[in-house]
Coordinates of all heavy atoms in Angstrom, one line a residue:
M13 N 2.1 -10.0 -15.0 CA 2.1 -8.7 -14.3 C 1.3 -8.8 -13.0 O 1.8 -8.3 -12.0 CB 1.5 -7.6 -15.2 CG 2.3 -7.2 -16.4 SD 3.9 -6.5 -16.0 CE 4.9 -7.9 -16.5
Q14 N 0.1 -9.4 -13.1 CA -0.7 -9.5 -11.8 C 0.0 -10.2 -10.7 O 0.0 -9.8 -9.6 CB -2.0 -10.2 -12.2 CG -2.9 -9.4 -13.1 CD -4.1 -10.1 -13.5 OE1 -4.9 -10.6 -12.7 NE2 -4.3 -10.3 -14.8
R15 N 0.7 -11.3 -11.1 CA 1.4 -12.1 -10.1 C 2.6 -11.3 -9.5 O 2.8 -11.3 -8.3 CB 1.9 -13.4 -10.7 CG 2.6 -14.3 -9.6 CD 2.9 -15.7 -10.1 NE 1.7 -16.4 -10.7 CZ 0.8 -17.0 -10.0 NH1 0.9 -17.1 -8.7 NH2 -0.2 -17.6 -10.6
L16 N 3.3 -10.6 -10.3 CA 4.4 -9.8 -9.8 C 3.9 -8.7 -8.8 O 4.5 -8.5 -7.8 CB 5.2 -9.1 -11.0 CG 6.2 -9.9 -11.6 CD1 6.8 -9.1 -12.8 CD2 7.4 -10.2 -10.7
I17 N 2.8 -8.1 -9.2 CA 2.2 -7.0 -8.4 C 1.7 -7.6 -7.0 O 1.9 -6.9 -6.0 CB 1.1 -6.3 -9.1 CG1 1.6 -5.5 -10.4 CG2 0.3 -5.3 -8.2 CD1 0.5 -5.1 -11.3
C18 N 1.2 -8.8 -7.1 CA 0.7 -9.4 -5.8 C 1.8 -9.9 -5.0 O 1.7 -9.9 -3.7 CB -0.3 -10.5 -6.2 SG -1.9 -9.9 -6.8
D19 N 2.8 -10.5 -5.6 CA 3.9 -11.2 -4.9 C 5.0 -10.4 -4.4 O 5.8 -10.7 -3.5 CB 4.4 -12.4 -5.7 CG 3.3 -13.5 -5.9 OD1 2.3 -13.4 -5.2 OD2 3.5 -14.3 -6.7
K20 N 5.3 -9.2 -5.1 CA 6.5 -8.4 -4.8 C 6.1 -7.0 -4.5 O 5.0 -6.5 -5.0 CB 7.4 -8.4 -6.0 CG 7.9 -9.8 -6.5 CD 9.0 -10.3 -5.6 CE 9.5 -11.6 -6.1 NZ 10.4 -12.2 -5.2
R21 N 7.0 -6.3 -3.8 CA 6.9 -4.9 -3.6 C 7.8 -4.2 -4.7 O 8.8 -4.8 -5.1 CB 7.3 -4.4 -2.2 CG 6.3 -5.0 -1.2 CD 6.7 -4.4 0.2 NE 8.1 -4.6 0.5 CZ 8.7 -5.6 1.1 NH1 7.9 -6.6 1.5 NH2 10.0 -5.7 1.4
P22 N 7.5 -3.0 -5.1 CA 8.4 -2.3 -6.1 C 9.8 -2.3 -5.6 O 10.7 -2.6 -6.5 CB 7.8 -0.9 -6.1 CG 6.4 -1.0 -5.8 CD 6.4 -2.1 -4.7
E23 N 10.1 -2.1 -4.4 CA 11.5 -2.0 -3.9 C 12.2 -3.4 -4.1 O 13.4 -3.4 -4.3 CB 11.6 -1.6 -2.5 CG 11.1 -2.6 -1.5 CD 11.3 -2.2 -0.1 OE1 11.1 -1.0 0.3 OE2 11.5 -3.1 0.8
Q24 N 11.5 -4.5 -4.0 CA 12.1 -5.8 -4.2 C 12.5 -6.0 -5.7 O 13.3 -6.8 -6.0 CB 11.1 -6.9 -3.8 CG 10.8 -7.0 -2.4 CD 9.7 -8.0 -2.0 OE1 8.6 -7.9 -2.5 NE2 10.1 -8.9 -1.2
L25 N 11.9 -5.2 -6.6 CA 12.3 -5.3 -8.0 C 13.2 -4.1 -8.4 O 13.3 -3.7 -9.5 CB 11.0 -5.3 -8.9 CG 10.1 -6.5 -8.6 CD1 8.8 -6.3 -9.3 CD2 10.7 -7.8 -9.0
K26 N 13.8 -3.5 -7.4 CA 14.8 -2.4 -7.5 C 14.2 -1.2 -8.2 O 14.8 -0.5 -9.0 CB 16.0 -2.9 -8.4 CG 16.7 -4.1 -7.9 CD 17.7 -3.9 -6.8 CE 18.5 -5.1 -6.5 NZ 18.2 -5.8 -5.3

Side-chain angles (χ1 to χ4, degrees):
M13 290 299 109
Q14 295 174 56
R15 184 170 305 277
L16 275 174
I17 295 166
C18 290
D19 293 346
K20 301 284 185 186
R21 294 185 311 269
E23 70 177 35
Q24 291 175 304
L25 299 172
K26 309 276 190 254

